Amino acid sequence: MKKIVFVLYTLFICSFSYAQENQIFLMRFHEMEITGDQNEFISANKNYFKPLAKQAIEDKKWAGWDMLQSVTESNKYIFIHYFSSPKQYEEFKGAFDSDVVEKLGLKSPNWDAFKWKTTAPMEIYQIVSVANGDSKSNYWVKNDFKFNNRQKFIDNNKLWGELVVKKMQKSVKGMNWGFGINLTSDNFENGEAVSFNGISFDGAYSLQELLTNRAHKENPESNDSFNKIYQKFINEIQKKELGNFSTAKKTTIWKVIDTTW
């Protein structure tokens, strides 16, 4: 039976360990807004919730846990929960049991130091494809898309991973990438998507590198190697008519605070 290995750095740095090619991997997003002591909240997740998350992985309750902090709004966080199959997600009863707290001898955080609230539906995405490099990503650009044609969105992103990301990984540190589709929210009006139903992540080793790569340059021709790679991608999507794959896009930047991978 044909097998593949998924290796994802930091946000995607999980090894899905010789999964069957048709296996469906899921990630659930939990967006939070925190008031109070941010440092205490971060400490609580590093020293209390992360050990519980790791134990839940050992107990095969889920497959992984990540904590990201917004670069532009430091009181906003995203937690990503990974599941190796829809069956594992359906059977999930939670990862933070009081009996496991006692078993691990964990000290309770100072709960009075902060408060949190969930700020968005806990959407579930299927991870469709990833391209991992040789170094980890400490920052991620999160791209949310609205697409009207799922297959066109998938085909466009697969080409981007093959023709651009994998080529650039040879020279750009921390460049890891992946994309997925929303399985729990897919709203349309008059034939147009009204909610974000696609997602991709572009990794970077440092914030400096990330911002430098996104900055305007007076002489873009100086980056001749990227231009050649990018033009090949453009030519390919024009030939396959995959250029207009989304009607809207939202980009945010996140710092990796901690992970179980």
Side-chain angles (χ1 to χ4, degrees), residues 134-176:
D134 297 325
S135 55
K136 69 176 183 178
S137 300
N138 295 311
Y139 290 85
W140 291 93
V141 176
K142 177 175 176 281
N143 305 297
D144 294 285
F145 297 94
K146 293 179 182 179
F147 62 76
N148 296 330
N149 185 310
R150 175 189 281 190
Q151 194 59 54
K152 182 178 286 191
F153 173 77
I154 290 173
D155 291 344
N156 182 289
N157 274 275
K158 282 186 174 180
L159 280 175
W160 177 261
E162 288 294 326
L163 300 181
V164 180
V165 177
K166 289 184 178 180
K167 297 293 189 299
M168 296 301 296
Q169 284 172 333
K170 299 175 182 179
S171 58
V172 180
K173 189 176 182 180
M175 189 174 189
N176 302 286

Side-chain angles (χ1 to χ4, degrees), residues 74-89:
S74 60
N75 68 325
K76 292 187 176 181
Y77 298 82
I78 292 179
F79 292 88
I80 306 177
H81 309 148
Y82 296 88
F83 298 88
S84 59
S85 68
K87 182 176 185 294
Q88 186 182 52
Y89 175 76

Side-chain angles (χ1 to χ4, degrees), residues 5-17 24-29 57 63-68 78-83 124-145 153 157 160-161 165 169 174-182 198-204 252 254-261:
V5 177
F6 287 96
V7 181
L8 306 160
Y9 282 89
T10 309
L11 176 58
F12 285 108
I13 202 173
C14 60
S15 168
F16 288 118
S17 186
I24 299 172
F25 293 99
L26 305 176
M27 52 183 177
R28 181 179 68 179
F29 290 85
I57 295 169
W65 171 94
D66 286 318
M67 178 184 184
L68 309 178
I78 292 179
F79 292 88
I80 306 177
H81 309 148
Y82 296 88
F83 298 88
I124 302 168
Y125 285 76
Q126 177 188 359
I127 301 173
V128 177
S129 183
V130 297
N132 57 283
D134 297 325
S135 55
K136 69 176 183 178
S137 300
N138 295 311
Y139 290 85
W140 291 93
V141 176
K142 177 175 176 281
N143 305 297
D144 294 285
F145 297 94
F153 173 77
N157 274 275
W160 177 261
V165 177
Q169 284 172 333
M175 189 174 189
N176 302 286
W177 169 88
F179 83 97
I181 54 175
N182 191 325
I199 195 169
S200 72
F201 287 93
D202 302 300
T252 50
W254 301 83
K255 178 182 179 180
V256 178
I257 299 298
D258 214 335
T259 176
T260 56
W261 309 117

Side-chain angles (χ1 to χ4, degrees), residues 34-45:
I34 307 302
T35 55
D37 191 332
Q38 302 294 317
N39 291 330
E40 184 66 25
F41 176 73
I42 291 173
S43 176
N45 278 278

